[in-house]
Amino acid sequence: MTASAFRKNLTLTLLVLAALLLLQFVLPEYYVLMATRMMVLAVFTVGFNALLGYVGLLSLGHAMFFACGLYAAGLSVYHFGFSLPAAFGVSLIASAALSLVIGAITLRTIRVSFMIVTLMFAQVGYLAVLYFAEWTNGQEGLSLPASARQMALGPWTLNIADAVTRYNIALVLLAASLGLLLFYLKGTRGRVATAIRDNEGRTEMLGFNVFAAKLEMFVLSGTLSGAAGAAYGLLFGYLGATFASFQYSIEALLFTLLGGAGTLLGPLIGVVLMVAMIDKLSELTSAYFLVIGVILIVLILWFPKGILGTIRERWAPWLL
Amino acid sequence: MHSKYNPLSLSMQRRTALKTLGGAAIALTSPAVLRPGFAQDGTIKLGAPMHRTGIGASYGRWYERTATAAVKLVNEMGGINGRKVEMIVEDDGTDPKRGTEVVEKFATQYKVDAIFGHLFSNVVAAAAPRAGELKVPYFICSEASLLGAGKLNRYTFQPGITDVRAQVQAMAPWIGSTIGKKVTMIFPDYNFGHDHRDFFTAAIKAQGGEVVAKIAVPPTETSFTRYFPQIPPSTEVIYHVMVGPAVLTFVKELGDYLGSKRPEIFGFIDSLEAVNFNTPQLGFLEGTYFWEAYPRYAQANQTEFDKFFREKVGVDANGASIADPKDISTYSHMFSCWETLFVIKQAMEMANYRGPEQKKDLVVAMESMTSFAEGKEHPQGAKQFNGKTHQVFGSQNISKVEGGKLKVVHRTKIEDGLYESPTDYTKMDL
Amino acid sequence: MGLGPYLLLATLEGLVQAAVLCITAAGLSLVFGVMRVVNVAHGEFVMLGAVIAWYAASLLTGHPALGFVVALIISPLIVGAIAALSERLILKRLDYNPEATIVATIGLLYIIQQSVLILYGPDARPVDPPFYYTIRLPWFGYSAYKLFVIGAAILIMGLIWFVLQKTRAGLIMRATQFDRETAQAFGIPVDKVSAYVFALGAGLAAIAGILVVPIQQAHYLMGTDPLLLSFIVVIIGGLGSMSGTVVAAILIGLSDGILSMMFSPTLAKMVSTLLVALVLVFRPNGLFGKAAR
Amino acid sequence: MLKIEDFDSYYGQSQALRGFSISVSPGEVLCLLGRNGAGKTTALKSIMGIVPPKRGRISLNGVDLTALPPNRIPMHGIGYVPQGRRLFSELTVRENLEIGLMTRQTGAEAMERALSYFPALRERFHQRSGTLSGGEQSMLAMARALCIEPTILMLDEPTEGLMPSMIAAIRDVVVKLREEGVGILLVEQRIDAVLPVADRIAFMDHGEIKVEMEIDAVRADTSILKKYLGVGH
Amino acid sequence: MASLIPLLSTKNVKRHFGGLKAVDGIDFALYEGEIRAIIGPNGAGKTTFVSLLSGRTEVSEGTITFAGEDVTRLPAYKRVQRGIAYTFQITNIYPTKTAAENVRIAVESRAARLRDARFDRDTATRAALEAVGLADRKEALAGELAYGHQRLLEVAMGLALQPKLLILDEPTQGLSDPEIENFLALVRQIAKSATVLLIEHNMHVVMSLADRISVLTRGTLLAEGTPEEIRDNPDVQAAYLGA
């Protein structure tokens, strides 16, 4: 990537983040809540896209990492009374460790096998949440008490159940994940990652340890997903098995495909459009997943590059 | 069984025919769905998150019908404090996460006055804390034993139906003294089933009985025969309580397995809610016992209130839809929606409730209630309300299957189910 | 109950499960073998079969066997037609690209499932078995219909074997499976073969759905379990290998029946899923599969 | 007569055939020679429609085959023995031959005639073709193509990796077929494999025919070899 | 020209695919600074043999030594890091990246090996592009380059690694005659700083470039010698032309 392209991407990202910062002053209450949820899901999707969009690995099991972060953070608060930052730290470590192990195993497979194996591991994760019900309270899940969602910050109390606080925490997390990915892509590692995506055999014959590079991105992706899960659990105060279900992995895929795989801001766009649409549709019909199905097929048939991917192809080749 | 779409119903009168249209039609065209902007000033808006889909769908459908009938009646009676009541329904997919989101949506987007209608305990457990945070009164129509255990909050009430703990406690003496003391329990392997397991084990022990086997079945299971060999030969009573789409399979396979040489069987009607008794494969249930909160079949001593309730909801004397006799209701649970709505009405009238800024008054009014008399508003029977635990207590029925129908053989007193709880939600901040 | 009868029951239950699984997985395996497409919507075809059986049973009053037989005839046809249509409209346009077809069949899964939700509703509805009889053994009773399912599965698998091995159509399918390009060079319209095979696979799933619905109930979410299990069977058996599929289905059916009597069923599912995932990682051709051609 | 005019074919971005034109008459053996990657196999695949040409025309005995889908081309009587034989290895010898019979609905006589060229195959009739020896596999691949009773037979390096006696046997069959009036398009890398049977030779390089000449002319002027194959003789 | 210790040597390497003996016991030595060509008829095992050298294929038997180190069991990417670069028989580039970006990835590999802060990646990229004459096309997408230029880009990527040994697998395949002439000059230039091993069918290229030629048939080494020796070797003529 040239320096000027990097500057353009950085500027665009900063503009979007600034817009999000201002948005909280104009949005009505419900939409602040929804936007918060969207930003957390966007972090999840950025993590998923890091793997799909930049190294070309399609995982069907990312709900596992989201749930790992969610439970690692939530359970350490619930059972051990960890402080919020400590719980968040635990979730990062846990999801990094999990993705390291899962990645080391699943990356031995390619293409369709990789998709199925990740799906199966995620299914095991989902069952594990149910099986260890003594800790997770199974399907019913756990609600974090209000007291656990506050922390002393010098003379003030930070209450992350508060709508505005929560919005800004989600915004910071989104900014951090976008920034992380942007700078990752700027450097050699990003170059190697996309090289693997475009031509794995060639990259290996240029002297790169392809497996290690893929594993590295897998861990980055899993950890970002885990961070999103932790944020979701702590900010919204509920831990449930539903977050580990197959459907969640599919949603990440859907958001990414819609926004544009391999684009920095695509995940955010995909999440915003899709979540808003689902919210409206659910007022009309219980069968709103029908629309998800249709969109998946339309995207894969006619717009495999998604919204930002198409824009990049037609008008803005500098887009990351 | 619960067919909603029946081509024959087209010939019936329009109103009933509309009622029997499929879930899609309800979902797509429900007049109960109001969007912001359509709501008139001065109406009382009630959010109704319903299990339209997911494993609670059979319940959700009848909950919605009952609630719709109750809202209609309230409006015919002049509304609440002269204000019209409007119900906004959204599907929660019987999913805790979606249930929580819907509660948020009711509270912040529709800005409803209160929320009611949740049944499944996992959904309640997830949604109640958010309702508390958002300070919106949240009325559950659930048997979950969460309130008494102190797990919920000041904004959550359970005024329509008795919780599992009280149900079990009230019936255990009868079971122990009448049908047997060695009990094998079969229950779904999640919190609702665990409540049954824990509370009944304690209750039967108090009667000098014991639970000889506890068979937990995953809620997603579709085939059950392989669990039955775990029933020990010493079993005198099989105690079953299953929910979800596979309940009928469960009962049928139990029948196949046991045949006529069966021990006594005591089941929670949950295992057969929305299921027609009149199929040859359920013949083995003849002579077995069921708990019913509210008898599905009109009894010989049917009250005028029960007649009234059945007529308004559109249910015949067999507990089936008047429009379609194959469409069996969830009679033993759905009355809770009806009664809850009238409790809300009563509390709002006590508080002279005018709008959302008076939510706290509504809560306080609720907590001041002590009892509800049997009547059109409370057709299931009289109830006691504990303002500290936000929990109601009523009578339970034990019915025997005779001639393919359920006949009540024992009705507990309200006092039988009362239990002490250290919980006092009135001490929590408003 | 003694150990003997206990094992007998477990075996019977296992065989019933294996029977249904065999038919479902055979369809999946055929589609993968000939088209190299992993059909994630396969379970939904099972569900569609069951739902259509319910419609047949409720529209045809009279003896339940009538509805059952009618369902056995029309259900595979309808489901096959839906499958063929989606093959033409979607999979063909994707040129059977393995990854893209997975995403597309996930979309198809949701479309079918949710359309059924709209048209049929969210309830689980029972269908009477064509006949009702309980075989009374000294230790327990067993539904004769379940034994019928085992018999029907043997018949159907025999039929599949016959078609594949002894008929022109089978020869064409096998030739297409081994070498699409050369098959074309000998006049085989591989394109049409794909559509037929996809329809056939879906039709088999529908038959499995009809067979299972008197045991379970027709429900719009019932497709998930058969999908996962038949994935497992097809992977263990070796992708695209029909005999491997049968062996694996019996193995999985029996072990699931027996294992879940001994362990917590959730734990049993966890362990078996994990083992299968590891099989795919370390023995990509399955336990009974041959090395890649 | 098979007539190819001006084929342009591509693999993705790169052009594999450039204005490729040939014709094969009944009872004639045309040999396509050229080094690896010259486009010989692509030429055959384009004729079969497997790699559809972007431009150009193909006709057989005056019937235009240009826009036909790949599976319709063999139905007009073009038999194909692909490079590496590509048998249906899990199918038996008999089943492989039956696939050939199905192409044009030719009957049992066609199989008999095909087998009469390769009697050794009869002993292996019910054996899985993947278990045959290399020579037997080559024979089966040819027999399979003969089952469609072709008017044109295309052979892509049929002698590759075979021992000399097998090569001779296959050469004999080619000669017999020529006598019966079948037009043969034979692709080879080695000149010695074709000298005894060829009527004409076309040298291919970079996806185009560089030179086409009668066999006598080739025999008379071996410098051609030097020029196009790069090694002296 | 050639030193006495081989840069690369193999001892009895074999590679079997099922029953097929693609490479069946080759003893081979390559000396620093030479240009070596490997020729042989189709299916002789040439590509398999260089795949064994580069590590893309694992040996069934035998040892491979490079610069005094046994590299038999090293994965491919580590051999590249030791200095064995490989360019592919079929054009193998990053089609959606620019030419400069293609080369830059190779440069990054070299930078990772050097760990030298002063190493200027941009300069190295430019140098490799200039060496093959693609400097003016550096911003073009590789997939949109003419075929001949793609082949040159392939070589530029190999060059950018600054390898000790550059393996070229049929580098002139598909090039036009003038392109081939430029290519010959390029390889001679490369040979000043690296040892070159090429598989080639074009005898003109082989004869004019190679210092020595190795001839393979049926997975074994048939002959080895100078171009003249090989040209006049009757065995080679028989194997090649079957005359």
Side-chain angles (χ1 to χ4, degrees):
Chain A
M1 182 181 26
T2 61
S4 85
F6 175 73
R7 266 198 310 279
K8 278 185 194 170
N9 279 294
L10 185 63
T11 314
L12 180 69
T13 309
L14 289 176
L15 279 176
V16 168
L17 290 173
L20 284 172
L21 186 67
L22 295 177
L23 217 49
Q24 61 183 304
F25 301 108
V26 291
L27 284 180
E29 190 184 0
Y30 179 63
Y31 291 98
V32 168
L33 192 66
M34 222 161 87
T36 310
R37 218 186 279 286
M38 285 170 178
M39 286 190 288
V40 176
L41 287 178
V43 174
F44 176 35
T45 314
V46 166
F48 179 83
N49 184 35
L51 198 60
L52 173 64
Y54 296 106
V55 269
L57 288 167
L58 204 174
S59 149
L60 288 178
H62 256 50
M64 170 171 44
F65 303 119
F66 186 87
C68 172
L70 180 96
Y71 276 104
L75 295 183
S76 54
V77 167
Y78 191 90
H79 291 295
F80 306 112
F82 276 33
S83 70
L84 296 172
F88 191 73
V90 166
S91 80
L92 292 184
I93 294 168
S95 42
L98 181 70
S99 44
L100 184 70
V101 173
I102 300 286
I105 297 171
T106 56
L107 286 173
R108 294 164 140 269
T109 61
I110 53 164
R111 303 188 64 175
V112 168
S113 294
F114 179 78
M115 293 161 83
I116 294 178
V117 168
T118 48
L119 184 150
M120 286 187 153
F121 274 109
Q123 188 65 18
V124 173
Y126 174 67
L127 291 169
V129 171
L130 298 184
Y131 184 71
F132 294 104
E134 266 177 50
W135 290 90
T136 62
N137 204 21
Q139 292 211 317
E140 187 172 299
L142 296 168
S143 286
L144 300 182
S147 59
R149 295 164 66 200
Q150 295 178 349
M151 57 183 256
L153 209 66
W156 301 284
T157 306
L158 183 73
N159 179 9
I160 60 169
D162 171 67
V164 175
T165 313
R166 196 160 57 187
Y167 183 95
N168 289 296
I169 290 176
L171 180 58
V172 168
L173 192 64
L174 177 65
S177 61
L178 288 176
L180 181 70
L181 197 59
L182 186 60
F183 282 94
Y184 190 94
L185 292 173
K186 180 177 178 258
T188 306
R189 287 156 184 275
R191 216 174 230 124
V192 173
T194 56
I196 291 171
R197 174 192 66 194
D198 292 351
N199 192 337
E200 185 171 329
R202 189 59 173 122
T203 310
E204 176 156 31
M205 292 315 293
L206 286 177
F208 295 102
N209 185 346
V210 168
F211 183 83
K214 288 204 280 190
L215 186 58
E216 185 178 287
M217 197 58 129
F218 196 96
V219 172
L220 176 72
S221 167
T223 310
L224 276 176
S225 304
Y232 204 104
L234 297 176
L235 293 179
F236 296 101
Y238 173 67
L239 324 171
T242 170
F243 294 105
S245 64
F246 174 58
Q247 194 176 308
Y248 247 64
S249 302
I250 296 306
E251 284 187 14
L253 167 66
L254 180 72
F255 298 149
T256 307
L257 284 181
L258 179 60
T263 61
L264 195 61
L265 293 168
L268 181 64
I269 293 177
V271 167
V272 169
L273 288 180
M274 209 59 225
V275 172
M277 187 153 69
I278 288 176
D279 188 65
K280 283 292 137 195
L281 279 169
S282 72
E283 292 168 16
L284 299 173
T285 170
S286 302
Y288 54 83
F289 265 95
L290 179 69
V291 180
I292 292 190
V294 172
I295 291 179
L296 269 178
I297 288 181
V298 167
L299 282 173
I300 201 79
L301 271 180
W302 291 292
F303 306 101
K305 296 194 156 85
I307 294 170
L308 275 192
T310 307
I311 289 178
R312 170 164 64 192
E313 196 173 56
R314 301 257 169 91
W315 299 290
W318 49 269
L319 264 179
L320 251 187
Chain B
M1 182 193 58
H2 20 94
S3 115
K4 280 180 305 179
Y5 179 74
N6 180 346
L8 297 175
S9 66
L10 293 175
S11 59
M12 283 179 300
Q13 23 167 309
R14 213 177 95 80
R15 242 184 61 190
T16 22
L18 269 179
K19 269 191 185 172
T20 59
L21 274 179
I26 294 177
L28 285 167
T29 63
S30 170
V33 177
L34 271 181
R35 275 163 214 98
F38 289 104
Q40 299 152 14
D41 279 344
T43 57
I44 290 190
K45 285 185 283 181
L46 297 179
M50 292 291 177
H51 305 329
R52 272 177 177 162
T53 57
I55 67 168
S58 304
Y59 288 93
R61 177 159 50 94
W62 280 99
Y63 265 44
E64 199 170 329
R65 289 185 194 177
T66 311
T68 307
V71 167
K72 183 161 171 281
L73 185 63
V74 167
N75 283 329
E76 281 168 7
M77 290 160 66
I80 297 177
N81 291 331
R83 282 152 197 267
K84 200 170 163 245
V85 177
E86 269 159 351
M87 180 170 78
I88 306 165
V89 183
E90 282 224 19
D91 178 27
D92 63 19
T94 329
D95 176 39
K97 175 191 163 254
R98 186 66 197 157
T100 311
E101 288 172 7
V102 169
V103 163
E104 288 171 357
K105 194 170 180 182
F106 281 134
T108 60
Q109 191 186 19
Y110 296 117
K111 302 202 187 302
V112 296
D113 298 273
I115 296 170
F116 80 109
H118 265 158
L119 166 62
F120 271 58
S121 64
N122 51 345
V123 184
V124 168
R130 292 295 286 138
E133 269 176 36
L134 295 162
K135 298 197 185 301
V136 54
Y138 174 66
F139 296 85
I140 57 178
C141 303
S142 165
E143 309 158 84
S145 309
L146 291 161
L147 273 169
K151 286 182 179 167
L152 303 182
N153 55 63
R154 190 158 187 189
Y155 281 84
T156 308
F157 296 92
Q158 192 167 343
I161 189 166
T162 314
D163 73 358
V164 167
R165 182 173 175 186
Q167 291 167 357
V168 165
Q169 181 185 320
M171 289 178 308
W174 183 89
I175 295 173
S177 64
T178 317
I179 54 174
K181 288 193 180 344
K182 291 189 167 158
V183 183
T184 290
M185 299 187 71
I186 307 175
F187 53 88
D189 193 10
Y190 74 104
N191 311 71
F192 170 70
H194 298 165
D195 280 354
H196 272 275
R197 177 192 65 196
D198 299 341
F199 293 129
F200 184 77
T201 306
I204 197 75
K205 209 170 174 187
Q207 304 300 319
E210 63 166 327
V211 173
V212 290
K214 298 170 184 176
I215 304 173
V217 180
T220 52
E221 194 59 271
T222 50
S223 167
F224 305 88
T225 303
R226 58 189 192 207
Y227 295 95
F228 299 144
Q230 295 174 40
I231 302 172
S234 63
T235 303
E236 293 169 3
V237 181
I238 292 175
Y239 175 113
H240 64 89
V241 52
M242 295 295 290
V243 291
V247 285
L248 183 59
T249 312
F250 168 76
V251 186
K252 282 198 298 198
E253 292 192 348
L254 188 64
D256 276 335
Y257 179 82
L258 293 172
S260 52
K261 297 182 300 180
R262 58 171 176 79
E264 293 288 355
I265 296 178
F266 179 87
F268 264 65
I269 195 68
D270 306 54
S271 299
L272 279 176
E273 277 286 57
V275 171
N276 194 347
F277 267 78
N278 264 329
T279 54
Q281 297 163 62
L282 297 185
F284 85 101
L285 286 171
E286 190 72 14
T288 68
Y289 300 91
F290 279 95
W291 160 87
E292 289 188 287
Y294 194 9
R296 178 192 296 184
Y297 292 90
Q299 302 291 311
N301 59 351
Q302 186 189 20
T303 63
E304 57 169 305
F305 314 125
D306 184 49
K307 263 188 191 150
F308 179 78
F309 174 71
R310 282 177 198 261
E311 185 199 320
K312 289 294 171 190
V313 182
V315 174
D316 67 14
N318 294 328
S321 163
I322 291 172
D324 176 5
K326 281 202 230 154
D327 185 4
I328 311 296
S329 68
T330 55
Y331 204 75
S332 231
H333 292 83
M334 67 195 204
F335 73 91
S336 60
C337 283
W338 177 282
E339 297 203 2
T340 298
L341 197 75
F342 284 100
V343 171
I344 294 173
K345 176 174 188 290
Q346 193 183 343
M348 282 184 167
E349 283 167 355
M350 278 171 65
N352 199 21
Y353 185 88
R354 298 275 154 207
E357 64 286 350
Q358 277 175 282
K359 280 175 185 165
K360 290 180 182 177
D361 300 340
L362 175 60
V363 170
V364 173
M366 277 301 302
E367 286 169 346
S368 71
M369 302 220 188
T370 53
S371 64
F372 310 120
E374 187 169 11
K376 283 180 180 172
E377 291 92 344
H378 296 279
Q380 190 265 349
K383 303 215 171 41
Q384 266 190 37
F385 187 76
N386 182 338
K388 286 183 177 167
T389 61
H390 292 191
Q391 173 67 53
V392 85
F393 295 89
S395 293
Q396 312 303 319
N397 302 285
I398 295 171
S399 304
K400 188 173 186 181
V401 184
E402 286 179 7
K405 293 189 174 185
L406 287 160
K407 186 164 175 272
V408 176
V409 294
H410 178 71
R411 185 171 167 90
T412 67
K413 296 190 194 68
I414 295 177
E415 300 79 58
D416 296 344
L418 292 179
Y419 61 85
E420 285 305 311
S421 165
T423 308
D424 185 353
Y425 291 113
T426 60
K427 288 183 183 149
M428 287 173 72
D429 290 339
L430 258 179
Chain C
M1 188 159 56
L3 185 66
Y6 192 95
L7 277 177
L8 175 64
L9 182 73
T11 310
L12 283 174
E13 282 293 290
L15 284 177
V16 172
Q17 191 176 0
V20 178
L21 207 49
C22 242
I23 305 173
T24 317
L28 195 66
S29 175
L30 201 61
V31 168
F32 182 83
V34 177
M35 305 168 66
R36 301 278 135 184
V37 163
V38 177
N39 178 19
V40 185
H42 196 67
E44 303 315 303
F45 293 136
V46 176
M47 182 270 285
L48 272 182
V51 166
I52 293 171
W54 179 85
Y55 276 108
S58 56
L59 289 175
L60 295 162
T61 49
H63 196 275
L66 181 66
F68 186 79
V69 171
V70 170
L72 267 183
I73 297 165
I74 61 161
S75 185
L77 289 178
I78 297 177
V79 175
I82 292 172
L85 192 70
S86 25
E87 196 275 344
R88 289 289 94 171
L89 293 179
I90 303 166
L91 302 186
K92 182 178 188 272
R93 286 166 195 246
L94 292 173
D95 207 17
Y96 311 110
N97 171 301
E99 283 96 342
T101 48
I102 285 197
V103 176
T105 52
I106 290 172
L108 199 59
L109 177 156
Y110 283 128
I111 291 177
I112 296 174
Q113 183 188 83
Q114 301 291 308
S115 304
V116 169
L117 172 62
I118 290 175
L119 298 169
Y120 170 89
D123 301 310
R125 306 182 195 192
V127 175
D128 284 334
F131 58 91
Y132 177 66
Y133 183 72
T134 303
I135 296 171
R136 294 248 59 92
L137 299 171
W139 320 276
F140 56 85
Y142 204 73
S143 157
Y145 177 75
K146 285 188 174 179
L147 297 180
F148 165 78
V149 169
I150 298 175
I154 294 172
L155 188 74
I156 289 168
M157 292 313 292
L159 211 62
I160 294 176
W161 177 87
F162 179 81
V163 168
L164 278 179
Q165 297 298 328
K166 298 289 167 194
T167 67
R168 265 175 82 91
L171 189 56
I172 289 175
M173 277 191 257
R174 284 187 293 145
T176 310
Q177 167 166 359
F178 296 129
D179 191 335
R180 290 178 80 86
E181 195 176 297
T182 309
Q184 274 191 336
F186 284 90
I188 295 176
V190 294
D191 195 45
K192 272 189 200 145
V193 172
S194 292
Y196 283 124
V197 164
F198 201 66
L200 181 63
L204 283 172
I207 291 175
I210 301 164
L211 286 177
V212 87
V213 75
I215 301 176
Q216 298 182 4
Q217 288 160 83
H219 184 236
Y220 80 108
L221 292 176
M222 70 188 284
T224 325
D225 261 16
L227 173 71
L228 216 65
L229 278 174
S230 40
F231 257 159
I232 291 177
V233 164
V234 171
I235 288 168
I236 295 267
L239 286 164
S241 150
M242 199 54 79
S243 48
T245 300
V246 174
V247 175
I250 295 173
L251 197 71
I252 297 282
L254 284 182
S255 64
D256 192 48
I258 294 166
L259 274 183
S260 58
M261 281 183 164
M262 299 183 199
F263 302 108
S264 142
T266 312
L267 184 63
K269 266 187 199 141
M270 265 167 78
V271 173
S272 63
T273 312
L274 196 62
L275 287 179
V276 170
L278 292 176
V279 164
L280 195 53
V281 172
F282 295 102
R283 289 216 49 176
N285 297 307
L287 288 183
F288 306 107
K290 297 188 187 65
R293 267 179 294 274
Chain D
M1 185 167 79
L2 176 72
K3 202 167 172 174
I4 312 294
E5 297 164 80
D6 256 350
F7 266 14
D8 280 353
S9 291
Y10 294 79
Y11 276 114
Q13 299 274 343
S14 67
Q15 189 165 4
L17 288 185
R18 301 162 200 263
F20 175 83
S21 304
I22 52 160
S23 62
V24 185
S25 306
E28 176 194 40
V29 178
L30 171 63
C31 288
L32 214 47
L33 284 181
R35 58 188 170 85
N36 226 13
K40 307 181 299 286
T41 297
T42 311
L44 297 198
K45 286 189 173 181
S46 287
I47 294 170
M48 292 309 293
I50 295 165
V51 179
K54 284 239 172 86
R55 203 169 66 88
R57 273 174 44 83
I58 168 174
S59 65
L60 183 66
N61 300 329
V63 182
D64 186 11
L65 309 181
T66 307
L68 287 185
N71 67 298
R72 297 287 299 280
I73 291 184
M75 294 180 185
H76 288 267
I78 301 183
Y80 179 40
V81 180
Q83 190 176 22
R85 306 171 196 115
R86 300 188 71 160
L87 297 172
F88 302 109
S89 57
E90 297 281 310
L91 271 51
T92 63
V93 169
R94 180 208 172 111
E95 287 169 332
N96 268 282
L97 295 175
E98 277 174 353
I99 298 277
L101 295 182
M102 273 194 274
T103 315
R104 299 176 78 195
Q105 312 296 332
T106 42
E109 329 72 82
M111 195 199 292
E112 281 306 312
R113 203 154 36 238
L115 284 172
S116 69
Y117 293 108
F118 306 103
L121 288 177
R122 284 186 203 275
E123 295 158 29
R124 304 265 181 254
F125 209 47
H126 296 288
Q127 197 170 320
R128 228 162 42 78
S129 60
T131 62
L132 300 179
S133 73
E136 287 166 333
Q137 292 197 5
S138 286
M139 293 196 278
L140 178 56
M142 275 184 79
R144 180 177 63 178
L146 291 178
C147 277
I148 79 167
E149 303 204 319
T151 49
I152 297 287
L153 182 63
M154 308 198 301
L155 304 157
D156 197 345
E157 302 199 23
T159 59
E160 186 189 357
L162 294 186
M163 52 188 189
S165 62
M166 266 323 301
I167 297 176
I170 286 178
R171 193 180 298 154
D172 289 346
V173 174
V174 170
V175 171
K176 273 192 214 163
L177 289 169
R178 173 173 61 182
E179 283 163 8
E180 288 169 21
V182 178
I184 292 170
L185 181 55
L186 178 61
V187 164
E188 281 289 358
Q189 285 198 46
R190 294 153 51 115
I191 187 97
D192 66 309
V194 303
L195 273 175
V197 294
D199 296 312
R200 274 188 300 138
I201 286 183
F203 289 104
M204 249 191 118
D205 201 17
H206 289 109
E208 38 190 342
I209 306 263
K210 293 285 184 189
V211 67
E212 195 179 325
M213 56 207 305
E214 297 298 319
I215 193 70
D216 298 340
V218 178
R219 290 200 179 107
D221 181 7
T222 46
S223 67
I224 296 291
L225 294 180
K226 205 176 176 91
K227 186 171 174 199
Y228 289 100
L229 294 174
V231 187
H233 204 240
Chain E
M1 175 190 76
S3 61
L4 289 174
I5 305 160
L7 174 66
L8 175 91
S9 64
T10 72
K11 200 157 181 269
N12 193 32
V13 289
K14 293 185 181 174
R15 172 68 209 194
H16 299 173
F17 297 103
L20 177 72
K21 294 171 178 175
V23 170
D24 196 21
I26 293 183
D27 291 317
F28 176 82
L30 181 64
Y31 295 91
E32 199 165 336
E34 69 170 323
I35 300 179
R36 176 76 67 93
I38 296 181
I39 65 168
N42 238 12
K46 303 182 296 288
T47 293
T48 308
F49 180 60
V50 292
S51 293
L52 296 177
L53 299 183
S54 67
R56 295 179 69 213
T57 308
E58 274 188 52
V59 296
S60 305
E61 215 178 289
T63 53
I64 302 170
T65 312
F66 179 72
E69 183 190 6
D70 181 355
V71 298
T72 316
R73 298 288 155 203
L74 277 190
Y77 74 91
K78 286 199 177 156
R79 295 194 204 182
V80 179
Q81 290 171 1
R82 301 282 192 284
I84 304 179
Y86 177 83
T87 72
F88 288 74
Q89 179 177 7
I90 302 157
T91 310
N92 207 331
I93 51 176
Y94 304 104
T96 58
K97 295 183 191 293
T98 62
E101 193 62 28
N102 269 270
V103 175
R104 177 62 185 263
I105 292 162
V107 168
E108 294 288 353
S109 172
R110 173 140 188 266
R113 212 164 71 227
L114 278 178
R115 296 173 193 282
D116 182 350
R118 287 163 302 174
F119 177 64
D120 184 348
R121 297 162 199 224
D122 289 333
T123 311
T125 307
R126 212 176 309 121
L129 283 167
E130 273 164 9
V132 299
L134 282 178
D136 54 336
R137 304 283 168 107
K138 65 181 164 63
E139 289 307 318
L141 287 185
E144 290 169 8
L145 288 176
Y147 182 72
H149 287 155
Q150 291 187 0
R151 299 291 311 172
L152 289 175
L153 182 58
E154 177 91 42
V155 175
M157 287 161 81
L159 269 186
L161 290 170
Q162 297 236 334
K164 293 187 187 127
L165 168 62
L166 180 61
I167 302 176
L168 300 164
D169 194 351
E170 303 206 19
T172 64
Q173 187 182 327
L175 294 188
S176 66
D177 291 347
E179 281 171 342
I180 288 176
E181 291 311 318
N182 289 336
F183 183 77
L184 293 180
L186 174 60
V187 174
R188 288 191 191 103
Q189 186 63 34
I190 294 169
K192 287 179 185 163
S193 60
T195 308
V196 174
L197 176 65
L198 81 160
I199 298 180
E200 187 53 70
H201 273 100
N202 188 326
M203 282 305 150
H204 167 62
V205 173
V206 172
M207 294 300 167
S208 51
L209 269 184
D211 299 318
R212 288 174 72 79
I213 298 176
S214 303
V215 186
L216 297 193
T217 51
R218 293 167 196 262
T220 55
L221 195 59
L222 176 72
E224 207 168 270
T226 62
E228 292 70 30
E229 288 163 13
I230 293 300
R231 198 197 305 263
D232 299 334
N233 184 328
D235 287 348
V236 174
Q237 290 184 355
Y240 232 85
L241 298 164

